Amino acid sequence: MIARLGTKDILAASLRELAKEKAVDKITIREITDNCGVSATTFYNHFQDKYQLLAWIYNQRIEPYWGRIGSGVSWREALREATMPLLEDHAFYTNALKNTAGQISFRYATNDYAIGLLIACWCAQTGTSEVGDDIVFCIRFYMRAISEAINDWFLAGQPIPLDTFIDWLVEAMPAPLRPCLL
């Protein structure tokens, strides 16, 4: 059976195609929707903006790993998997990282998603529904640091071998998170 693409997949394919020729910050919602034959209303039924679409593209790739941290996937594996989309589609992600900025950027959208997944992981691992302010702080702090480190490493041309880089990210984990993630 031939799988049909969903609307989100069609919008993602359109953005990816346009990003081959244009900086993502210069691509409009109208261009995305015209390129794939859907309306702007349809776009906004699925995404708040193109940055959320960019994040969705990336998050679809990492979610199978990040959603299973502690139950079949180690923290090290999840971090390694977070770098794979960047390395496999270098041109697209270079465009996304270099041509977005601020709190609505690709980086913030993907990072906020990862923070949510890590908080859910914490709850699953500890059997609680509440996460203390100290743990939320540690998760947000650590994930923002990881995000910036990965972005810097990637955009600098990966000057440190991947496995060494991942080791450093794991070693930098705040102590309160270690019992749950390591």
Side-chain angles (χ1 to χ4, degrees):
M1 175 192 268
I2 297 174
R4 279 187 55 191
L5 291 178
T7 303
K8 288 181 174 184
D9 295 308
I10 292 167
L11 291 166
S14 178
L15 176 59
R16 281 179 169 280
E17 182 177 295
L18 292 167
K20 290 177 183 175
E21 304 295 326
K22 194 172 186 180
V24 293
D25 61 333
K26 304 296 185 207
I27 297 170
T28 66
I29 301 302
R30 171 71 59 206
E31 289 172 311
I32 295 168
T33 58
D34 286 352
N35 189 47
C36 64
V38 302
S39 70
T41 301
T42 298
F43 179 94
Y44 289 113
N45 284 338
H46 295 282
F47 299 104
Q48 178 180 338
D49 54 35
K50 66 184 169 190
Y51 305 106
Q52 191 177 48
L53 171 56
L54 278 168
W56 182 84
I57 292 168
Y58 177 79
N59 293 338
Q60 289 303 296
R61 174 66 193 281
I62 69 161
E63 185 173 359
Y65 295 91
W66 284 65
R68 291 184 17 242
I69 294 169
S71 59
V73 173
S74 72
W75 179 242
R76 181 178 307 285
E77 290 172 299
L79 285 175
R80 192 172 210 293
E81 195 57 35
T83 64
M84 290 294 103
L86 304 174
L87 299 175
E88 292 167 2
D89 197 352
H90 193 275
F92 177 72
Y93 287 107
T94 297
N95 186 347
L97 291 168
K98 283 188 172 182
N99 296 303
T100 65
Q103 291 186 338
I104 59 167
S105 70
F106 167 69
R107 293 199 287 204
Y108 266 85
T110 56
N111 194 253
D112 287 345
Y113 186 75
I115 288 167
L117 288 175
L118 205 49
I119 289 171
C121 172
W122 180 270
C123 291
Q125 292 291 320
T126 60
T128 62
S129 60
E130 296 291 321
V131 181
D133 291 341
D134 59 331
I135 298 300
V136 170
F137 172 81
C138 286
I139 289 172
R140 290 182 61 79
F141 178 83
Y142 184 45
M143 290 310 303
R144 293 278 189 237
I146 286 173
S147 177
E148 288 303 307
I150 290 174
N151 292 323
D152 291 347
W153 172 81
F154 175 70
L155 292 175
Q158 305 89 52
I160 302 162
L162 177 60
D163 289 329
T164 301
F165 180 67
I166 298 300
D167 286 344
W168 291 355
L169 293 177
V170 171
E171 290 168 16
M173 181 186 297
L177 301 181
R178 289 180 176 275
C180 183
L181 295 177
L182 291 181

